[in-house]
């Protein structure tokens, strides 16, 4: 049976790290602060905001809420971002997306100062993931995958890794981060030929497809480490990953659960980035 790589264990370790750094910053008179910028009243934004706020309280990171009406003008939204950029008491900004349709999201997100881009949404942050020269932060979801691998001492160097999915927010940065850690990386996608063989050949599998339980027993073999990024809701209303967990846990060596895996670690990565940003801005 596979060992389950529980997100809670990683969160606990990350929280301890964040608390220590937040305390050190406070001792220097710096209150690490995350601004949460929300446009409108989308239910999933509000529930994520509540989750981040609760987690932030636990680790001594202050939250500043900036809530703008759903019909905010682009100029007013950009002003709000520029005010946060200029505010030396705010170290990181989390802006929920997608933005309402009347706003040019690509234009708006790039107004954020990369130094405060703790969620890795600016082009400058993305470039940093690919060049290794960081002016911002890597996106939180692939960072959470790396935190899990590192926490559980999964050896990456020299291993064959496959990332199934090539989005700019998850798949591509995850592949670059594995490459940076000396893995030999394959990026698979919807046009990949014989995906089961490609996935079976890998030692480390990162599934970020967005298709419920698509990765079944015939994609897997013993010896593999599987990180399941997928969050899918079945017709019955159950939350499942991209990997058929019940089949996989009898085959592979290590696997993350859904829920309780990558998703829960992502929030702590956001907060880890806030304390790093606070430190960088006060060097
Ligand atoms: P996207 O839809 O942007 O990308 C999905 C990728 O999967 C695409 O590259 C697509 O290939 C590939 N794909 C789709 N169908 C297949 C298939 N049949 N075989 C192989 N590859 C396929 O999704 P995201 O990257 O934004 O998200 C992926 C998953 O991760 C989702 O379930 C999402 O909910 C979850 N997620 C989880 C987070 C967390 O914190 N845990 C955060 C963000 C996302 P192609 O490019 O060829 O179309």
């Amino acid at each position: 049976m596979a060992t389950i790589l529980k997100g809670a264990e990683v969160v606990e370790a990350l929280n301890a790290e964040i608390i220590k750094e937040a305390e050190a910053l406070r001792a220097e008179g710096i209150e690490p602060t995350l601004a949460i910028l929300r446009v409108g009243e989308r239910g999933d934004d509000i529930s994520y905001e509540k989750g981040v706020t609760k987690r932030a309280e636990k680790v001594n990171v202050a939250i500043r809420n900036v809530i703008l009406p759903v019909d905010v003008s682009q100029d007013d939204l950009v002003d709000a971002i520029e005010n946060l950029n200029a505010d030396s008491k705010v170290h990181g900004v989390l802006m929920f997306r997608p933005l309402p349709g009347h706003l040019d999201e690509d234009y708006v997100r790039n107004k954020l100062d990369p130094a405060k881009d703790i969620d890795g949404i600016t082009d400058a942050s993305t470039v940093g993931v690919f060049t290794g020269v960081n002016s911002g932060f890597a996106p939180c979801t692939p960072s959470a995958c790396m935190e899990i691998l590192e926490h559980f001492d999964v050896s990456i160097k020299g291993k064959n890794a496959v990332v199934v999915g090539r989005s700019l927010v998850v798949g591509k940065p995850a592949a670059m981060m594995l490459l940076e850690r000396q893995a030999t990386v394959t990026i698979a996608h919807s046009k990949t030929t014989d995906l089961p063989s490609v996935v079976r050949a890998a030692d480390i599998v990162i599934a970020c497809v967005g298709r419920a339980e698509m990765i079944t027993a015939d994609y897997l073999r013993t010896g593999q480490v599987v990180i399941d990024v997928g969050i899918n809701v079945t017709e019955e209303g159950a939350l499942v990953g991209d990997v058929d967990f019940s089949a996989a846990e009898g085959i592979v060596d290590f696997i993350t659960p859904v829920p309780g895996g990558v998703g829960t670690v992502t929030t702590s990565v956001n907060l880890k980035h806030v304390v790093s940003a606070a430190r960088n801005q006060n060097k």
Side-chain angles (χ1 to χ4, degrees), residues 141 165-167 170 189-190 208-211 214 229-232 263 266:
T141 303
R166 55 174 163 180
S167 74
V170 191
H189 47 79
S190 67
C208 41
V209 187
R211 286 179 184 257
M214 188 197 91
V229 179
I231 301 176
N232 312 287
T266 305

